[in-house]
Structures are given as structure tokens and as C-alpha cells.
């Protein structure tokens, strides 16, 4: 029995708070340096043991530190109640508001990977961040989401999101008139052409690198292909 108490195990928990969106709350095991994040419902799983200390941090909630007891592992869900953070300031002057984020506030480390919303949902669904020592821990959430097909759907969402991001960058580089007048794309087909060219990996790389000259060259060739394909379909 004593040996079982000292074996690391999965702690499946849920954040309870006065909020509808509980995604992205950081849970860290200070003893093993294991971290996990919550999904939109506040659910999480993390490798832990009796006596370990967890810290729960988020911008909108008060920081909480919990020392795990044996009974915390006996229930199906370990419920953690958080209180909303309140700030009482006489006067606030924000000059460089663009640099105020989770990193500058000390909630996450400076070297932590930044995720887009779709990437963060996939990271949470697959149990990202659950690692014990040198071994990758299999997340309970990850298994359930893989079985239900949610992981596959989230991966598709990431692909769509990345295309949208690339198209937004493209819109910042070129006016609509360039596609119509220089590339000879009919106005009603401009949006379709944009989705067509973001399938080209070389073009995506040039747009991301803001290589204006290379992007124009590649788009010119792709425009000829696109117009030719349109004519064949007619």
C-alpha cells in the first residue's frame, strides 16, 4: 500500500469558477515540473503524487497553491475552486499596452511556445504538456478525444486557420486591384484565387517571409495556371 501511494498517477481535475470560458488555465506540478492546461470546460489531467504541490495560474483568477492529499486521488474528479482576480488601483496609465501579456505578467515563461486558438485547442485535446521525467505521459483526455474523432477535426481546423492567416498576410501585401489588373483575375474569382494559391507551399513561405518580389513572381505563374483551369472548365 505504501508503494502504491508513492507511485505517480494521473490526477483528473476540473476548475470551478465564475466564468464560462475556462480554457488555458495553467496547472503546474512544482515537484516534477510537469505542466498542463485546461480546456474550455476547465477540465485537465496531470501526472502527480500524494504530497506534490500544484500551482494554478491565470490572468483572470487569483493564483492558487495546493498540496495534494491522498483523498484528492480517490474521487473521479478533483475539483479546484478559483476566485476572480480583482485589482484596486487609483489611476492606471497604459503606455505600451501591446507588450502586456501572460509572459510580461510572469504567468508563463519567456521561452514557452505561442499557440494560435486552434493550435491551443488541439494541444489541450491531445493532453499536451503532460510529461513526467523523460517519458511522455499518455493523457486520458487525449485518448478519449482520439476515439471520438475530435483530434482529427481540430487538426483540420488548424489547416483552415493557417490558410486564413496566410490570406490575411496576402491582403496586407496586395490590393484587390493588383489581382484584377496585373494578374488578370476576374473580380468575382479573386477570393477563389487566393484560396487556390495558399495551397502552394513555396508561395506560403514567401508570404510569411514578406518576400514581395518572390511572391509576385510565384503569383504570376499561379495566375496563369488558375486562368487556364477556369477556361478548361468552361
Amino acid at each position: 500500500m505504501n508503494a502504491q501511494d508513492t507511485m505517480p498517477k494521473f490526477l483528473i481535475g476540473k476548475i470551478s469558477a465564475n466564468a464560462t470560458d475556462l480554457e488555458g488555465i495553467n496547472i503546474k506540478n512544482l515537484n516534477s515540473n510537469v505542466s498542463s492546461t485546461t480546456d474550455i470546460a476547465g477540465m485537465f489531467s496531470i501526472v502527480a503524487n500524494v504530497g506534490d504541490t500544484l500551482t494554478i495560474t491565470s490572468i483572470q483568477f487569483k493564483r492558487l497553491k495546493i498540496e495534494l492529499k491522498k483523498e484528492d486521488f480517490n474521487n473521479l474528479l478533483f475539483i479546484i475552486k478559483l476566485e476572480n482576480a480583482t485589482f484596486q488601483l487609483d489611476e492606471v496609465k497604459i503606455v505600451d499596452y501591446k507588450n502586456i501579456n501572460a509572459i510580461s505578467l510572469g504567468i508563463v515563461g519567456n521561452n514557452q511556445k505561442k499557440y494560435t486558438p486552434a493550435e491551443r485547442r488541439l494541444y489541450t485535446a491531445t493532453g499536451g504538456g503532460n510529461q513526467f521525467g523523460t517519458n511522455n505521459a499518455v493523457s486520458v483526455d487525449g485518448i478519449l478525444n482520439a476515439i471520438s474523432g475530435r483530434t482529427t477535426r481540430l487538426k483540420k481546423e488548424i489547416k483552415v486557420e493557417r490558410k486564413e492567416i496566410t490570406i490575411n498576410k496576402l491582403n496586407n501585401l496586395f490590393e484587390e486591384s493588383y489581382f484584377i489588373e496585373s494578374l488578370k483575375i476576374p473580380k468575382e474569382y479573386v477570393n477563389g484565387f487566393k484560396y487556390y494559391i495558399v495551397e502552394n507551399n513555396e508561395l506560403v513561405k514567401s508570404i510569411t517571409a514578406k518576400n514581395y518580389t518572390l511572391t509576385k513572381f510565384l503569383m504570376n505563374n499561379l495566375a496563369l495556371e488558375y486562368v487556364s483551369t477556369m477556361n478548361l472548365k468552361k
Side-chain angles (χ1 to χ4, degrees):
M1 291 296 291
N2 291 334
Q4 290 179 358
D5 290 342
T6 58
M7 288 293 291
K9 53 186 76 68
F10 274 112
L11 178 68
I12 302 176
K14 185 182 189 310
I15 299 298
S16 174
N18 185 23
T20 55
D21 187 351
L22 298 172
E23 184 176 14
I25 298 173
N26 187 56
I27 296 92
K28 184 174 182 179
N29 187 328
L30 296 180
N31 296 75
S32 61
N33 207 31
V34 174
S35 294
S36 180
T37 54
T38 57
D39 62 15
I40 193 169
M43 298 290 295
F44 70 92
S45 61
I46 191 168
V47 175
N49 201 354
V50 176
D52 286 355
T53 300
L54 301 183
T55 58
I56 299 89
T57 53
S58 175
I59 294 177
Q60 69 268 37
F61 300 112
K62 292 182 179 179
R63 179 186 175 93
L64 184 64
K65 183 181 290 186
I66 300 174
E67 183 176 344
L68 297 175
K69 300 177 178 60
K70 184 176 180 180
E71 53 266 27
D72 295 331
F73 293 85
N74 294 335
N75 298 322
L76 292 176
L77 276 180
F78 175 52
I79 305 297
I80 300 175
K81 294 183 179 181
L82 295 182
E83 296 181 11
N84 291 333
T86 55
F87 303 94
Q88 294 182 351
L89 301 174
D90 295 333
E91 183 179 4
V92 177
K93 290 184 179 180
I94 299 177
V95 179
D96 192 9
Y97 64 90
K98 292 182 179 179
N99 290 327
I100 296 179
N101 49 49
I103 295 175
S104 64
L105 292 175
I107 294 173
V108 298
N110 188 43
N111 59 347
Q112 183 163 325
K113 176 178 171 57
K114 297 179 181 179
Y115 294 93
T116 65
E119 289 173 337
R120 188 169 64 250
R121 287 193 292 271
L122 177 61
Y123 183 77
T124 303
T126 53
N130 288 332
Q131 185 174 352
F132 185 79
T134 58
N135 296 321
N136 288 326
V138 180
S139 166
V140 174
D141 293 338
I143 295 173
L144 294 177
N145 287 320
I147 294 173
S148 66
R150 183 167 182 256
T151 300
T152 301
R153 177 174 59 80
L154 291 174
K155 287 181 179 179
K156 291 180 180 179
E157 287 183 9
I158 288 179
K159 291 182 180 180
V160 173
E161 182 187 58
R162 287 175 178 170
K163 289 179 183 179
E164 295 291 345
I165 291 173
T166 303
I167 289 175
N168 286 335
K169 292 179 180 178
L170 191 64
N171 292 335
N172 291 331
L173 289 173
F174 301 94
E175 298 288 342
E176 185 181 44
S177 58
Y178 177 80
F179 296 92
I180 299 172
E181 297 170 8
S182 299
L183 299 181
K184 307 303 179 184
I185 304 294
K187 183 175 181 179
E188 61 270 25
Y189 290 103
V190 169
N191 285 335
F193 175 68
K194 291 177 181 178
Y195 279 95
Y196 173 78
I197 62 178
V198 294
E199 297 290 344
N200 186 288
N201 292 331
E202 190 174 357
L203 179 71
V204 171
K205 291 178 181 178
S206 69
I207 294 173
T208 302
K210 296 182 180 180
N211 190 328
Y212 187 76
T213 303
L214 179 59
T215 299
K216 286 179 65 176
F217 174 77
L218 294 173
M219 281 203 305
N220 185 67
N221 292 334
L222 291 169
L224 294 175
E225 293 179 7
Y226 186 72
V227 172
S228 176
T229 302
M230 288 168 52
N231 291 334
L232 287 175
K233 288 184 177 180
K234 291 180 180 180

